[in-house]
């Protein structure tokens, strides 16, 4: 038996469970030459998937209606006619939201559960860690002694960005939505300061207080009013790394925001968006540093693991309420 989750409707605003459809098939899956049969172990849910659920032009094609949704998946090889993979191997790749599926092996990477927990290959040793490392280094161009502000700091990417910032000698300030998350940023991830955007009335002033020397690098995961407040505190030649905008992904009207141009001109500042695949040639370098720092215990990570294939849509929706600490993963 195989369960599959399809995109039933294109969400209007915040996604709901009615936008997804579960299909169950009883037929046995057969593999041919060069193919392998995979059983899903872990599924990554990420904010960027929301963009693919609409049909607006983006950097990746939108999901098709009534077709399976895809994301990062760790799967076990349960049968193989592909010489590169054997039964019992674990692999990582962009795969369908299915309990079992057939693959030709393209785009799959073997992962070793003896070197790190399998779920880590969807997070700190996967695209999450790569995004943090490459965005900060390639666009942020950090220099020891500078000040870094990270929004969505308790999330999967933000928490790694802050830790790398500390390794590289930066003062790091994180913005998150609960006192518990702020405490975690400081005690677990080593941030120098944290700002709770839900209880702070003057975020602009709070950033100024936490960053008395101004902000040299802003790693932006959220957009919206938090990012507006950071702009008032940037230094000359500041670098603003645009990784995401979770605060506006579900907006049905054009969000109101300050005009960024005066801030950028006045401070000769750089603002650049990116997707991690822009730097695919640097993946080996990123993996070398991330795995090294992890083994040296200079990096740590948080995961929110939800149990059960049927809970994948709810886990995805919960991202927009900030219910995750670190990487949100569903264990099958």
């Amino acid at each position: 038996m195989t369960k599959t989750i399809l995109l039933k409707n294109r969400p209007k605003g915040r996604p709901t469970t009615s936008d997804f459809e579960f299909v169950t098939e009883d037929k046995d899956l057969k593999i041919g030459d060069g193919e392998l049969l995979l059983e899903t172990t872990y599924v990554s849910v990420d904010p960027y998937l929301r963009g693919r659920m609409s049909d607006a032009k983006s950097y990746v094609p939108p999901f098709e209606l009534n077709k399976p949704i895809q994301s990062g998946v760790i799967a076990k090889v349960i049968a193989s006619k592909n010489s590169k993979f054997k039964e019992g191997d674990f692999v990582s790749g962009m795969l369908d939201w299915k309990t079992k599926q057939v693959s030709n092996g393209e785009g799959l990477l073997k992962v070793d559960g003896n070197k790190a927990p399998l779920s880590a290959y969807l997070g700190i040793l996967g695209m999450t860690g790569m995004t943090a490392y490459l965005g900060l280094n390639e666009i942020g161009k950090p220099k020891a002694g500078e000040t870094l502000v990270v929004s969505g700091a308790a999330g999967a990417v933000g928490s790694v960005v802050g830790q790398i910032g500390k390794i590289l000698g930066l003062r790091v300030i994180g913005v998150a939505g609960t006192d518990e998350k702020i405490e975690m940023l400081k005690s677990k991830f080593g941030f120098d300061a944290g700002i709770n955007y839900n209880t702070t009335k003057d975020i602009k002033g709070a950033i100024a207080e936490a960053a008395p020397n101004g902000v040299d690098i802003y790693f932006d995961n959220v957009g919206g009013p938090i990012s507006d407040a950071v702009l008032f505190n940037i230094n000359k030649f500041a670098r603003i790394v645009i990784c995401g905008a979770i605060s506006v992904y579900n907006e049905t009207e054009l969000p109101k925001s300050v005009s960024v141009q005066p801030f950028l001109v006045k401070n000769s500042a750089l603002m650049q968006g990116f997707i991690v695949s822009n730097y695919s040639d640097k993946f080996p370098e990123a993996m070398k540093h991330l795995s090294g720092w992890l083994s040296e215990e200079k990096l740590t990570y948080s995961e929110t693991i939800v149990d059960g294939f049927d809970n994948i849509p709810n886990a995805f929706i919960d991202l927009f309420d900030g219910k995750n600490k670190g990487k949100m993963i569903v264990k099958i």
Side-chain angles (χ1 to χ4, degrees):
M1 184 177 78
T2 302
K3 283 185 179 179
T4 304
I5 302 175
L6 312 177
L7 181 63
K8 184 179 180 182
N9 306 302
R10 298 205 183 278
K12 291 183 171 58
R14 176 191 167 89
T16 67
T17 52
S18 63
D19 294 320
F20 304 90
E21 182 178 3
F22 286 80
V23 175
T24 301
E25 295 177 295
D26 282 328
K27 67 180 183 180
D28 289 333
L29 296 174
K30 306 289 187 185
I31 59 171
D33 288 342
E35 292 183 330
L36 50 158
L37 181 61
L38 302 174
E39 184 174 63
T40 299
T41 307
Y42 292 99
V43 174
S44 172
V45 291
D46 306 278
Y48 82 88
L49 298 172
R50 175 61 183 85
R52 294 195 67 189
M53 292 175 187
S54 73
D55 55 4
K57 182 185 176 187
S58 186
Y59 55 87
V60 284
F63 293 125
E64 293 182 49
L65 288 175
N66 304 309
K67 295 286 181 67
I69 296 170
Q70 287 187 331
S71 69
V73 167
I74 301 291
K76 184 177 183 179
V77 178
I78 54 176
S80 178
K81 293 184 178 179
N82 183 309
S83 60
K84 294 180 181 177
F85 304 94
K86 65 181 186 299
E87 186 178 331
D89 283 346
F90 284 91
V91 296
S92 171
M94 289 295 294
L95 294 165
D96 292 344
W97 285 3
K98 292 183 171 185
T99 51
K100 292 180 182 177
Q101 58 197 293
V102 174
S103 168
N104 63 6
E106 286 185 19
L108 297 183
L109 294 172
K110 286 185 193 177
V111 293
D112 188 346
N114 294 316
K115 291 185 177 177
L118 289 171
S119 57
Y121 293 96
L122 291 177
I124 197 162
L125 295 180
M127 286 303 151
T128 298
M130 300 278 194
T131 299
Y133 177 91
L134 292 165
L136 179 59
N137 280 286
E138 296 299 316
I139 302 172
K141 300 193 182 306
K143 303 177 191 73
E146 291 187 322
T147 297
L148 163 68
V149 172
V150 185
S151 59
V157 172
S159 58
V160 181
V161 171
Q163 291 180 84
I164 295 173
K166 289 304 299 177
I167 291 169
L168 299 178
L170 307 180
R171 174 172 173 79
V172 180
I173 300 151
V175 184
T178 68
D179 288 342
E180 186 185 7
K181 287 181 177 180
I182 296 300
E183 179 55 34
M184 179 182 73
L185 291 179
K186 292 190 283 188
S187 62
K188 181 170 183 174
F189 298 126
F191 282 56
D192 296 289
I195 297 167
N196 181 343
Y197 64 81
N198 278 316
T199 57
T200 303
K201 291 181 179 176
D202 178 12
I203 296 178
K204 180 176 104 174
I207 293 168
E209 185 177 343
N213 296 321
V215 177
D216 299 294
I217 308 168
Y218 174 43
F219 198 103
D220 187 6
N221 290 299
V222 303
I226 293 169
S227 298
D228 294 346
V230 176
L231 285 170
F232 284 93
N233 289 281
I234 61 173
N235 286 333
K236 192 168 187 181
F237 303 121
R239 288 82 70 198
I240 300 167
V241 186
I242 308 296
C243 180
I246 194 171
S247 72
V248 298
Y249 285 161
N250 294 322
E251 294 289 336
T252 54
E253 296 180 3
L254 196 63
K256 292 181 174 64
S257 188
V258 302
S259 176
V260 302
Q261 288 89 339
F263 295 96
L264 301 182
V265 171
K266 182 172 67 175
N267 295 290
S268 302
L270 169 78
M271 176 184 279
Q272 182 177 336
F274 79 104
I275 54 174
V276 68
S277 58
N278 294 351
Y279 305 107
S280 56
D281 60 320
K282 307 242 181 193
F283 283 3
E285 172 199 324
M287 180 59 85
K288 177 185 172 185
H289 282 99
L290 291 165
S291 57
W293 288 332
L294 192 62
S295 67
E296 294 165 9
E297 299 184 349
K298 291 181 178 179
L299 278 183
T300 187
Y301 59 96
S302 274
E303 295 174 326
T304 300
I305 296 187
V306 176
D307 284 314
F309 184 83
D310 292 353
N311 289 322
I312 294 174
N314 282 319
F316 168 68
I317 294 166
D318 282 348
L319 289 169
F320 299 99
D321 290 328
K323 292 186 179 178
N324 59 305
K325 291 176 190 168
K327 188 80 186 74
M328 181 76 97
I329 294 172
V330 180
K331 182 180 181 181
I332 311 306

